[in-house]
Amino acid sequence: MTSSNLRNAAAVAALSATALLLAGCVPNGAPNATSIAVTANDEGCEVANATGTSGTLTFTVQNDGTKVTEFYLLGSNKLTIVGEVENIAPGTSRDLTVQVGPGEYFTACKPGMIGAGVGHAAFTVSGDAVATTPEEDAVVAQYVAYVKTQTEELVPRVGEFVAAYKAGNDDEARALFPIARINYERIEPTAEQFGDLDPKIDYRKPGAIEEGLPFTGFHRIEQDLWLDRAIENYSQPEKNHYPKDDLVALTPEERATIGDQLVADISELNDKVRSPDFTLTLADITEGAKGLLDEVAAPDGKLPGEENEFAHTDLYDFTANVEGAQVAFDTVRALLVANGGEELATELDARFVDMLDTLAGYGSYEAGFVSYDTVDATKRNELAAKLTALSEPMSRLTAGVVGS
Amino acid sequence: MGGPDQDPRTQLPSGTSRRQLLGLLGAGAIGLAAGGAGGAAAARTLLSRDGHHGDAPSPGAVPFRGAHQAGIVTPAQDRLHFAAFTMNSGATRDDLIALLRDWTEAAERLTRGEEVGDGMEPDNGLLPPDDTGEATGLGVGNLTLTFGFGRSLFVGHADRAAETQAGDPFGLRSLLPAEFEPLPAFAFDILDDTQSGGDLCVQACADDPQIAVHAIRNLSRIAAGRAHLAWSQLGFGRTASTSRAQETPRNLFGFKDGTANVMAEDSSGLAEHVWVGEEAPAWLRGGSYLVARKIQMTIETWDRASLAEQERIFGRSKRAGAPLTGADEFDEPDFAAKLPASGEPVIDIAAHVRLAHPKNNSGSQMLRRGYNYVDGSNGLGQLGAGLFFISFQRSPETFVRVQRSLQPDLLNEYIRHIGSGLWAVPGGIGAGEFVGQALFE
């Protein structure tokens, strides 16, 4: 997991607003669109109005500071990213256009584009709920229910994994590590919408170090369970600039701290997803499906074998990402077909089968997948070919579902 | 992100697509469609996007269709992006045909300077653009796209034996020419499988590297689900002349090489040495065999060799490129000439020019079209540099013969062959045909 994935998640939130616009849910030209001035500097983030009316809002962010900044519209929990505009250079202005329903929100800026942000301020939206069709609502409800079942399964699996790890049953913990991640990998773009959780749960070591975050979560435990490989990896010349002081076995107390934190973070994710306020847009679902496949192909993803750089269990994650994308696609499939996308739907059906069949050649969750370091360049190239075959048509899904 | 009121799409009359707008404009209804500044802006975008739609060729365009494929005798452009593709496991004969049709359509557009598919601005803003856009505005740049078929396209892959069509995945085995045998192993080969072979190859040459890269990138994307990029190579600085109008350029050793090339103007030489004739199945007549060899040069050790040593190795002078027995580049080398004092040959018996010369290869000749490459450097502070050798010949045997002659070459101390491929390049693409269509009839 990288910071760019987080930003992708934010872009999804922003896109969903655009998508609904194009879908004709509000009149084109949006006569009631409201423009709100935001003045940002290195310490503050002044929003001209603390209230707005539901529909399309445009925040015009002027950066009067000395650092490049970002502007966020956050949910009432200050964590859910409703919309984001980044890379606002000093002295320049950029717009964030979002479509929002009634509710409580927060605005914030992030000078230097790192850290917790500054100038958090409440922002209230009044007015009517944003219109959607019953079919769309049903699809969203179905997918939200699926996300809940995944987090509900995730909690005990992670609990079992952490228990084995804390008890020092390393062989058992190593066997449970890839299994404990399956449900998370199926719904990862959703988890990434809760801005601070994914970095704690699933950041890889380079990502954590680069962003100045404590290295915690699945991959911290992975490093401890496969410590010899970690030492070997981080002794390579190209990784020589990473600190070595954490390449020592954790004590039982440290194991308990790291393990308990993962359990707590996963539990928090489950609570958030189960909250009555939790919802997603159609574009969240379709872009999430694409995002899951992009994660497999990313330079620090599963295809290059970087996701689980010590355990080499990337084929489990790869499979889970594809399954997650397939569920998202299946959920919106009827809408796609209703919009005249039968051909795209059929193509995606076939590509999913082909991708999953190819993966099945390497094992299964039950029987275990082969260690990814035994999959040679030619075989990885074949996996890449199937993934590309699936990802290219997937890039047309959002347009087919919400853009007609 | 701009607000919706800044989007020209929202200014279009309701229900009017961009393409329809173009039609309206073409019918002289500008006043109707371009009601606002946004509409006018949209119209300008459209016209620039589709600006090359006429029948007149664009400046710098090389015709895509003809008796032979472009990019062989076309005067060598300065930039190369060469790509090898592997058919996806499970891909069918229909997939292959569809791919070649789609590639042909895209190649024709690309070589006319047009964007592929719906261009870089689809009507639906939620769609990724068909054309990746990075070559827009760069012109045509003499782009040529040359397609070849690997032996594995006819006989399949050994490691895919489990497939139902094992040994003949696309029903083409009976059309495999007798001469189309794999290249043998050569001395000093240290071939890397990840930079060798491929079911299909595409040679993209252009005056501008971004035009060549854009073409390969978009063809690669079009291939998704049917074929996958296996490896590719960028090249710069052509290392051979294919026309008498061109000067012989230099390789990264600083030498002129390949002076004795078959030239585009030499139609009898081309017919004899480059174009495949009646001996081959109909689909390959008028085509050629393309050999690509990625030849790494040990630049650092070469640069420490004395001038006398360098000239002895090539058998040519460094500045003029003349054989050591002559004064001008195009002087015929005199391999019999002896040094009066020692009686040793003036041109070393293992000099490159001697071993590679047609006289010493039973008159075998090929059309060389190589490029220099630098793939950055390695962790040892050495340049990852060399020659991406490309040659076209009537038979693979020609290359094999010359390459075997080079076994004692003094140059071998400074080079290693690290990539290799052989493809059959079908004949020219006629009006309305797709690349390799004759294979499927």
mmCIF file of all heavy atoms in Angstrom, chain B residues 348-371:
data_model
loop_
_atom_site.group_PDB
_atom_site.id
_atom_site.type_symbol
_atom_site.label_atom_id
_atom_site.label_comp_id
_atom_site.label_asym_id
_atom_site.label_seq_id
_atom_site.Cartn_x
_atom_site.Cartn_y
_atom_site.Cartn_z
ATOM 1 N N ASP B 348 43.979 -7.403 -40.933
ATOM 2 C CA ASP B 348 44.187 -8.601 -40.103
ATOM 3 C C ASP B 348 43.264 -9.735 -40.553
ATOM 4 O O ASP B 348 42.123 -9.508 -40.973
ATOM 5 C CB ASP B 348 43.904 -8.247 -38.640
ATOM 6 C CG ASP B 348 44.427 -9.315 -37.686
ATOM 7 O OD1 ASP B 348 43.793 -10.390 -37.597
ATOM 8 O OD2 ASP B 348 45.467 -9.045 -37.039
ATOM 9 N N ILE B 349 43.765 -10.943 -40.423
ATOM 10 C CA ILE B 349 42.940 -12.066 -40.868
ATOM 11 C C ILE B 349 41.672 -12.210 -40.023
ATOM 12 O O ILE B 349 40.708 -12.847 -40.424
ATOM 13 C CB ILE B 349 43.715 -13.406 -40.858
ATOM 14 C CG1 ILE B 349 44.284 -13.666 -39.461
ATOM 15 C CG2 ILE B 349 44.798 -13.437 -41.924
ATOM 16 C CD1 ILE B 349 44.659 -15.123 -39.263
ATOM 17 N N ALA B 350 41.664 -11.604 -38.835
ATOM 18 C CA ALA B 350 40.469 -11.673 -37.975
ATOM 19 C C ALA B 350 39.807 -10.307 -37.819
ATOM 20 O O ALA B 350 39.028 -10.095 -36.898
ATOM 21 C CB ALA B 350 40.842 -12.236 -36.608
ATOM 22 N N ALA B 351 40.118 -9.380 -38.738
ATOM 23 C CA ALA B 351 39.481 -8.054 -38.650
ATOM 24 C C ALA B 351 38.011 -8.163 -39.044
ATOM 25 O O ALA B 351 37.635 -8.974 -39.896
ATOM 26 C CB ALA B 351 40.192 -7.072 -39.575
ATOM 27 N N HIS B 352 37.212 -7.302 -38.437
ATOM 28 C CA HIS B 352 35.774 -7.366 -38.653
ATOM 29 C C HIS B 352 35.413 -7.188 -40.123
ATOM 30 O O HIS B 352 34.578 -7.910 -40.662
ATOM 31 C CB HIS B 352 35.094 -6.302 -37.785
ATOM 32 C CG HIS B 352 33.601 -6.327 -37.853
ATOM 33 N ND1 HIS B 352 32.857 -7.379 -37.376
ATOM 34 C CD2 HIS B 352 32.700 -5.431 -38.371
ATOM 35 C CE1 HIS B 352 31.557 -7.122 -37.568
ATOM 36 N NE2 HIS B 352 31.446 -5.951 -38.180
ATOM 37 N N VAL B 353 36.052 -6.226 -40.783
ATOM 38 C CA VAL B 353 35.681 -5.938 -42.173
ATOM 39 C C VAL B 353 35.957 -7.136 -43.083
ATOM 40 O O VAL B 353 35.213 -7.413 -44.017
ATOM 41 C CB VAL B 353 36.386 -4.665 -42.698
ATOM 42 C CG1 VAL B 353 37.881 -4.899 -42.840
ATOM 43 C CG2 VAL B 353 35.774 -4.179 -43.993
ATOM 44 N N ARG B 354 37.000 -7.863 -42.767
ATOM 45 C CA ARG B 354 37.333 -9.030 -43.598
ATOM 46 C C ARG B 354 36.295 -10.141 -43.411
ATOM 47 O O ARG B 354 35.745 -10.673 -44.366
ATOM 48 C CB ARG B 354 38.731 -9.562 -43.246
ATOM 49 C CG ARG B 354 39.122 -10.807 -44.027
ATOM 50 C CD ARG B 354 40.405 -11.440 -43.497
ATOM 51 N NE ARG B 354 41.605 -10.623 -43.695
ATOM 52 C CZ ARG B 354 42.399 -10.669 -44.766
ATOM 53 N NH1 ARG B 354 42.122 -11.491 -45.756
ATOM 54 N NH2 ARG B 354 43.471 -9.909 -44.842
ATOM 55 N N LEU B 355 36.013 -10.443 -42.142
ATOM 56 C CA LEU B 355 35.138 -11.582 -41.863
ATOM 57 C C LEU B 355 33.691 -11.316 -42.282
ATOM 58 O O LEU B 355 32.963 -12.241 -42.639
ATOM 59 C CB LEU B 355 35.197 -11.932 -40.368
ATOM 60 C CG LEU B 355 36.585 -12.354 -39.865
ATOM 61 C CD1 LEU B 355 36.572 -12.519 -38.351
ATOM 62 C CD2 LEU B 355 37.033 -13.649 -40.534
ATOM 63 N N ALA B 356 33.290 -10.043 -42.218
ATOM 64 C CA ALA B 356 31.893 -9.727 -42.517
ATOM 65 C C ALA B 356 31.670 -9.476 -44.006
ATOM 66 O O ALA B 356 30.527 -9.403 -44.459
ATOM 67 C CB ALA B 356 31.460 -8.496 -41.711
ATOM 68 N N HIS B 357 32.740 -9.320 -44.754
ATOM 69 C CA HIS B 357 32.595 -8.877 -46.146
ATOM 70 C C HIS B 357 31.930 -9.946 -47.022
ATOM 71 O O HIS B 357 32.225 -11.136 -46.880
ATOM 72 C CB HIS B 357 33.962 -8.517 -46.724
ATOM 73 C CG HIS B 357 33.864 -7.632 -47.933
ATOM 74 N ND1 HIS B 357 33.654 -8.130 -49.193
ATOM 75 C CD2 HIS B 357 33.908 -6.285 -48.069
ATOM 76 C CE1 HIS B 357 33.574 -7.128 -50.060
ATOM 77 N NE2 HIS B 357 33.734 -5.985 -49.390
ATOM 78 N N PRO B 358 31.065 -9.534 -47.940
ATOM 79 C CA PRO B 358 30.392 -10.503 -48.819
ATOM 80 C C PRO B 358 31.369 -11.422 -49.545
ATOM 81 O O PRO B 358 31.091 -12.604 -49.741
ATOM 82 C CB PRO B 358 29.635 -9.626 -49.818
ATOM 83 C CG PRO B 358 29.450 -8.314 -49.124
ATOM 84 C CD PRO B 358 30.613 -8.161 -48.188
ATOM 85 N N LYS B 359 32.533 -10.880 -49.872
ATOM 86 C CA LYS B 359 33.532 -11.694 -50.592
ATOM 87 C C LYS B 359 33.909 -12.942 -49.804
ATOM 88 O O LYS B 359 34.293 -13.951 -50.367
ATOM 89 C CB LYS B 359 34.817 -10.878 -50.807
ATOM 90 C CG LYS B 359 34.808 -10.011 -52.033
ATOM 91 C CD LYS B 359 36.187 -9.378 -52.188
ATOM 92 C CE LYS B 359 36.181 -8.368 -53.322
ATOM 93 N NZ LYS B 359 37.384 -7.520 -53.295
ATOM 94 N N ASN B 360 33.863 -12.804 -48.475
ATOM 95 C CA ASN B 360 34.255 -13.931 -47.638
ATOM 96 C C ASN B 360 33.047 -14.715 -47.135
ATOM 97 O O ASN B 360 33.159 -15.528 -46.228
ATOM 98 C CB ASN B 360 35.093 -13.436 -46.461
ATOM 99 C CG ASN B 360 36.407 -12.855 -46.963
ATOM 100 O OD1 ASN B 360 37.091 -13.477 -47.774
ATOM 101 N ND2 ASN B 360 36.729 -11.654 -46.527
ATOM 102 N N ASN B 361 31.874 -14.402 -47.695
ATOM 103 C CA ASN B 361 30.655 -15.099 -47.295
ATOM 104 C C ASN B 361 29.873 -15.555 -48.518
ATOM 105 O O ASN B 361 28.654 -15.482 -48.543
ATOM 106 C CB ASN B 361 29.793 -14.187 -46.410
ATOM 107 C CG ASN B 361 30.412 -13.980 -45.034
ATOM 108 O OD1 ASN B 361 30.302 -14.832 -44.169
ATOM 109 N ND2 ASN B 361 31.107 -12.865 -44.851
ATOM 110 N N SER B 362 30.609 -16.001 -49.525
ATOM 111 C CA SER B 362 29.988 -16.472 -50.775
ATOM 112 C C SER B 362 29.012 -15.457 -51.330
ATOM 113 O O SER B 362 27.948 -15.818 -51.837
ATOM 114 C CB SER B 362 29.255 -17.802 -50.551
ATOM 115 O OG SER B 362 30.086 -18.726 -49.933
ATOM 116 N N GLY B 363 29.319 -14.200 -51.163
ATOM 117 C CA GLY B 363 28.454 -13.163 -51.726
ATOM 118 C C GLY B 363 27.207 -12.895 -50.914
ATOM 119 O O GLY B 363 26.353 -12.116 -51.333
ATOM 120 N N SER B 364 27.095 -13.500 -49.740
ATOM 121 C CA SER B 364 25.905 -13.279 -48.913
ATOM 122 C C SER B 364 25.820 -11.812 -48.490
ATOM 123 O O SER B 364 26.788 -11.236 -48.016
ATOM 124 C CB SER B 364 25.972 -14.138 -47.653
ATOM 125 O OG SER B 364 25.856 -15.488 -47.999
ATOM 126 N N GLN B 365 24.641 -11.262 -48.663
ATOM 127 C CA GLN B 365 24.439 -9.875 -48.259
ATOM 128 C C GLN B 365 23.102 -9.740 -47.554
ATOM 129 O O GLN B 365 22.168 -10.505 -47.799
ATOM 130 C CB GLN B 365 24.439 -8.964 -49.492
ATOM 131 C CG GLN B 365 25.807 -8.436 -49.855
ATOM 132 C CD GLN B 365 25.705 -7.364 -50.917
ATOM 133 O OE1 GLN B 365 25.492 -7.688 -52.081
ATOM 134 N NE2 GLN B 365 25.831 -6.121 -50.530
ATOM 135 N N MET B 366 23.029 -8.744 -46.701
ATOM 136 C CA MET B 366 21.755 -8.447 -46.059
ATOM 137 C C MET B 366 21.603 -6.942 -45.949
ATOM 138 O O MET B 366 22.558 -6.196 -46.143
ATOM 139 C CB MET B 366 21.686 -9.108 -44.683
ATOM 140 C CG MET B 366 22.923 -8.937 -43.842
ATOM 141 S SD MET B 366 22.854 -10.138 -42.492
ATOM 142 C CE MET B 366 24.508 -10.127 -41.921
ATOM 143 N N LEU B 367 20.370 -6.525 -45.640
ATOM 144 C CA LEU B 367 20.119 -5.103 -45.472
ATOM 145 C C LEU B 367 20.127 -4.830 -43.970
ATOM 146 O O LEU B 367 19.262 -5.312 -43.243
ATOM 147 C CB LEU B 367 18.772 -4.731 -46.096
ATOM 148 C CG LEU B 367 18.427 -3.245 -46.138
ATOM 149 C CD1 LEU B 367 17.469 -2.979 -47.290
ATOM 150 C CD2 LEU B 367 17.794 -2.757 -44.846
ATOM 151 N N ARG B 368 21.154 -4.110 -43.526
ATOM 152 C CA ARG B 368 21.257 -3.835 -42.093
ATOM 153 C C ARG B 368 20.578 -2.523 -41.755
ATOM 154 O O ARG B 368 20.626 -1.565 -42.522
ATOM 155 C CB ARG B 368 22.733 -3.788 -41.676
ATOM 156 C CG ARG B 368 23.272 -5.159 -41.387
ATOM 157 C CD ARG B 368 24.767 -5.162 -41.298
ATOM 158 N NE ARG B 368 25.361 -4.943 -42.616
ATOM 159 C CZ ARG B 368 26.655 -5.022 -42.857
ATOM 160 N NH1 ARG B 368 27.490 -5.293 -41.888
ATOM 161 N NH2 ARG B 368 27.116 -4.812 -44.085
ATOM 162 N N ARG B 369 19.941 -2.516 -40.589
ATOM 163 C CA ARG B 369 19.126 -1.371 -40.212
ATOM 164 C C ARG B 369 19.200 -1.170 -38.696
ATOM 165 O O ARG B 369 18.210 -0.924 -38.032
ATOM 166 C CB ARG B 369 17.663 -1.675 -40.616
ATOM 167 C CG ARG B 369 16.941 -0.465 -41.155
ATOM 168 C CD ARG B 369 15.543 -0.833 -41.607
ATOM 169 N NE ARG B 369 14.925 0.283 -42.275
ATOM 170 C CZ ARG B 369 14.435 1.347 -41.663
ATOM 171 N NH1 ARG B 369 14.458 1.447 -40.367
ATOM 172 N NH2 ARG B 369 13.891 2.324 -42.368
ATOM 173 N N GLY B 370 20.398 -1.340 -38.146
ATOM 174 C CA GLY B 370 20.541 -1.331 -36.687
ATOM 175 C C GLY B 370 20.528 0.062 -36.075
ATOM 176 O O GLY B 370 20.561 1.080 -36.779
ATOM 177 N N TYR B 371 20.475 0.062 -34.753
ATOM 178 C CA TYR B 371 20.468 1.318 -33.985
ATOM 179 C C TYR B 371 21.361 1.175 -32.767
ATOM 180 O O TYR B 371 21.488 0.087 -32.203
ATOM 181 C CB TYR B 371 19.044 1.648 -33.508
ATOM 182 C CG TYR B 371 18.141 2.108 -34.629
ATOM 183 C CD1 TYR B 371 17.518 1.193 -35.472
ATOM 184 C CD2 TYR B 371 17.956 3.467 -34.876
ATOM 185 C CE1 TYR B 371 16.713 1.606 -36.516
ATOM 186 C CE2 TYR B 371 17.148 3.894 -35.917
ATOM 187 C CZ TYR B 371 16.529 2.966 -36.733
ATOM 188 O OH TYR B 371 15.738 3.395 -37.771
#
